[in-house]
Amino acid sequence: IMSALERNDLTRWHPKASVLLVHGTKDHTVPYINAENAYLSFKAAGTSVTLIPVNADHSETAISFYLLVLMTLI
């Protein structure tokens, strides 16, 4: 398990495209600190990255994310 976690560590990978992270601050499934760590790591590597915190849990954040995506398409 540890080997798989190390291979999939986002702090060692940096996207070339812009990234939008939307994450719930009350998320207990995937803790918000994960999004903060990814944001800081991507930013340090020069990636164009935005982090939008949502005052919600895991499933409630999905609704905010989908609405945000739909608004940018209109």
Side-chain angles (χ1 to χ4, degrees), residues 5-7 9-14 41-42:
L5 290 172
E6 288 175 8
R7 286 193 312 271
D9 182 356
L10 287 181
T11 61
R12 295 185 191 154
W13 172 80
H14 306 288
S41 175
F42 292 170

PDB file of all heavy atoms in Angstrom, residues 5-7 9-14 41-42:
ATOM      1  N   LEU A   5       0.861   4.441  -2.641  1.00  0.00           N
ATOM      2  CA  LEU A   5       0.654   5.816  -2.200  1.00  0.00           C
ATOM      3  C   LEU A   5       1.799   6.720  -2.648  1.00  0.00           C
ATOM      4  O   LEU A   5       1.575   7.843  -3.084  1.00  0.00           O
ATOM      5  CB  LEU A   5       0.502   5.862  -0.675  1.00  0.00           C
ATOM      6  CG  LEU A   5      -0.784   5.264  -0.111  1.00  0.00           C
ATOM      7  CD1 LEU A   5      -0.712   5.193   1.411  1.00  0.00           C
ATOM      8  CD2 LEU A   5      -1.997   6.054  -0.557  1.00  0.00           C
ATOM      9  N   GLU A   6       3.015   6.236  -2.547  1.00  0.00           N
ATOM     10  CA  GLU A   6       4.168   7.026  -2.979  1.00  0.00           C
ATOM     11  C   GLU A   6       4.149   7.284  -4.479  1.00  0.00           C
ATOM     12  O   GLU A   6       4.474   8.376  -4.936  1.00  0.00           O
ATOM     13  CB  GLU A   6       5.458   6.326  -2.570  1.00  0.00           C
ATOM     14  CG  GLU A   6       5.715   6.386  -1.081  1.00  0.00           C
ATOM     15  CD  GLU A   6       6.940   5.587  -0.659  1.00  0.00           C
ATOM     16  OE1 GLU A   6       7.686   5.097  -1.527  1.00  0.00           O
ATOM     17  OE2 GLU A   6       7.141   5.454   0.563  1.00  0.00           O
ATOM     18  N   ARG A   7       3.761   6.280  -5.271  1.00  0.00           N
ATOM     19  CA  ARG A   7       3.690   6.441  -6.728  1.00  0.00           C
ATOM     20  C   ARG A   7       2.605   7.435  -7.140  1.00  0.00           C
ATOM     21  O   ARG A   7       2.686   8.030  -8.211  1.00  0.00           O
ATOM     22  CB  ARG A   7       3.441   5.101  -7.407  1.00  0.00           C
ATOM     23  CG  ARG A   7       4.628   4.175  -7.443  1.00  0.00           C
ATOM     24  CD  ARG A   7       4.414   3.011  -8.399  1.00  0.00           C
ATOM     25  NE  ARG A   7       3.137   2.349  -8.238  1.00  0.00           N
ATOM     26  CZ  ARG A   7       2.884   1.317  -7.405  1.00  0.00           C
ATOM     27  NH1 ARG A   7       3.849   0.863  -6.644  1.00  0.00           N
ATOM     28  NH2 ARG A   7       1.690   0.778  -7.337  1.00  0.00           N
ATOM     29  N   ASP A   9       1.565  10.125  -5.280  1.00  0.00           N
ATOM     30  CA  ASP A   9       1.694  11.326  -4.468  1.00  0.00           C
ATOM     31  C   ASP A   9       1.631  12.563  -5.358  1.00  0.00           C
ATOM     32  O   ASP A   9       2.505  12.772  -6.204  1.00  0.00           O
ATOM     33  CB  ASP A   9       3.025  11.271  -3.714  1.00  0.00           C
ATOM     34  CG  ASP A   9       3.232  12.449  -2.795  1.00  0.00           C
ATOM     35  OD1 ASP A   9       2.393  13.368  -2.781  1.00  0.00           O
ATOM     36  OD2 ASP A   9       4.240  12.441  -2.079  1.00  0.00           O
ATOM     37  N   LEU A  10       0.599  13.388  -5.189  1.00  0.00           N
ATOM     38  CA  LEU A  10       0.441  14.577  -6.030  1.00  0.00           C
ATOM     39  C   LEU A  10       1.502  15.636  -5.783  1.00  0.00           C
ATOM     40  O   LEU A  10       1.700  16.515  -6.610  1.00  0.00           O
ATOM     41  CB  LEU A  10      -0.942  15.197  -5.810  1.00  0.00           C
ATOM     42  CG  LEU A  10      -2.100  14.435  -6.416  1.00  0.00           C
ATOM     43  CD1 LEU A  10      -3.405  15.173  -6.144  1.00  0.00           C
ATOM     44  CD2 LEU A  10      -1.927  14.231  -7.898  1.00  0.00           C
ATOM     45  N   THR A  11       2.196  15.563  -4.662  1.00  0.00           N
ATOM     46  CA  THR A  11       3.220  16.569  -4.411  1.00  0.00           C
ATOM     47  C   THR A  11       4.480  16.325  -5.236  1.00  0.00           C
ATOM     48  O   THR A  11       5.354  17.178  -5.273  1.00  0.00           O
ATOM     49  CB  THR A  11       3.585  16.629  -2.916  1.00  0.00           C
ATOM     50  OG1 THR A  11       4.106  15.363  -2.506  1.00  0.00           O
ATOM     51  CG2 THR A  11       2.379  16.979  -2.069  1.00  0.00           C
ATOM     52  N   ARG A  12       4.553  15.205  -5.910  1.00  0.00           N
ATOM     53  CA  ARG A  12       5.707  14.922  -6.795  1.00  0.00           C
ATOM     54  C   ARG A  12       5.337  15.028  -8.265  1.00  0.00           C
ATOM     55  O   ARG A  12       6.130  14.745  -9.140  1.00  0.00           O
ATOM     56  CB  ARG A  12       6.241  13.513  -6.505  1.00  0.00           C
ATOM     57  CG  ARG A  12       6.801  13.398  -5.120  1.00  0.00           C
ATOM     58  CD  ARG A  12       7.415  12.047  -4.907  1.00  0.00           C
ATOM     59  NE  ARG A  12       7.701  11.896  -3.482  1.00  0.00           N
ATOM     60  CZ  ARG A  12       7.766  10.757  -2.868  1.00  0.00           C
ATOM     61  NH1 ARG A  12       7.583   9.637  -3.532  1.00  0.00           N
ATOM     62  NH2 ARG A  12       8.019  10.701  -1.595  1.00  0.00           N
ATOM     63  N   TRP A  13       4.118  15.409  -8.540  1.00  0.00           N
ATOM     64  CA  TRP A  13       3.616  15.519  -9.912  1.00  0.00           C
ATOM     65  C   TRP A  13       3.073  16.928 -10.107  1.00  0.00           C
ATOM     66  O   TRP A  13       2.429  17.477  -9.218  1.00  0.00           O
ATOM     67  CB  TRP A  13       2.498  14.500 -10.128  1.00  0.00           C
ATOM     68  CG  TRP A  13       1.784  14.656 -11.421  1.00  0.00           C
ATOM     69  CD1 TRP A  13       2.207  14.213 -12.640  1.00  0.00           C
ATOM     70  CD2 TRP A  13       0.537  15.304 -11.644  1.00  0.00           C
ATOM     71  NE1 TRP A  13       1.285  14.547 -13.601  1.00  0.00           N
ATOM     72  CE2 TRP A  13       0.248  15.222 -13.007  1.00  0.00           C
ATOM     73  CE3 TRP A  13      -0.367  15.949 -10.813  1.00  0.00           C
ATOM     74  CZ2 TRP A  13      -0.905  15.744 -13.582  1.00  0.00           C
ATOM     75  CZ3 TRP A  13      -1.518  16.477 -11.370  1.00  0.00           C
ATOM     76  CH2 TRP A  13      -1.770  16.370 -12.738  1.00  0.00           C
ATOM     77  N   HIS A  14       3.341  17.525 -11.257  1.00  0.00           N
ATOM     78  CA  HIS A  14       2.889  18.885 -11.494  1.00  0.00           C
ATOM     79  C   HIS A  14       2.292  18.993 -12.893  1.00  0.00           C
ATOM     80  O   HIS A  14       2.967  18.699 -13.880  1.00  0.00           O
ATOM     81  CB  HIS A  14       4.049  19.865 -11.341  1.00  0.00           C
ATOM     82  CG  HIS A  14       4.739  19.704 -10.023  1.00  0.00           C
ATOM     83  ND1 HIS A  14       4.163  20.105  -8.842  1.00  0.00           N
ATOM     84  CD2 HIS A  14       5.917  19.153  -9.690  1.00  0.00           C
ATOM     85  CE1 HIS A  14       4.973  19.825  -7.852  1.00  0.00           C
ATOM     86  NE2 HIS A  14       6.050  19.231  -8.340  1.00  0.00           N
ATOM     87  N   SER A  41       1.923  22.810  -3.671  1.00  0.00           N
ATOM     88  CA  SER A  41       2.916  22.093  -4.467  1.00  0.00           C
ATOM     89  C   SER A  41       2.855  22.515  -5.931  1.00  0.00           C
ATOM     90  O   SER A  41       3.882  22.776  -6.557  1.00  0.00           O
ATOM     91  CB  SER A  41       2.682  20.585  -4.342  1.00  0.00           C
ATOM     92  OG  SER A  41       3.556  19.881  -5.179  1.00  0.00           O
ATOM     93  N   PHE A  42       1.643  22.593  -6.476  1.00  0.00           N
ATOM     94  CA  PHE A  42       1.480  22.996  -7.877  1.00  0.00           C
ATOM     95  C   PHE A  42       1.953  24.432  -8.074  1.00  0.00           C
ATOM     96  O   PHE A  42       2.635  24.756  -9.045  1.00  0.00           O
ATOM     97  CB  PHE A  42       0.027  22.877  -8.313  1.00  0.00           C
ATOM     98  CG  PHE A  42      -0.504  21.469  -8.397  1.00  0.00           C
ATOM     99  CD1 PHE A  42      -1.852  21.234  -8.584  1.00  0.00           C
ATOM    100  CD2 PHE A  42       0.327  20.365  -8.293  1.00  0.00           C
ATOM    101  CE1 PHE A  42      -2.355  19.947  -8.670  1.00  0.00           C
ATOM    102  CE2 PHE A  42      -0.158  19.068  -8.373  1.00  0.00           C
ATOM    103  CZ  PHE A  42      -1.509  18.863  -8.568  1.00  0.00           C
TER     104      PHE A  42
END
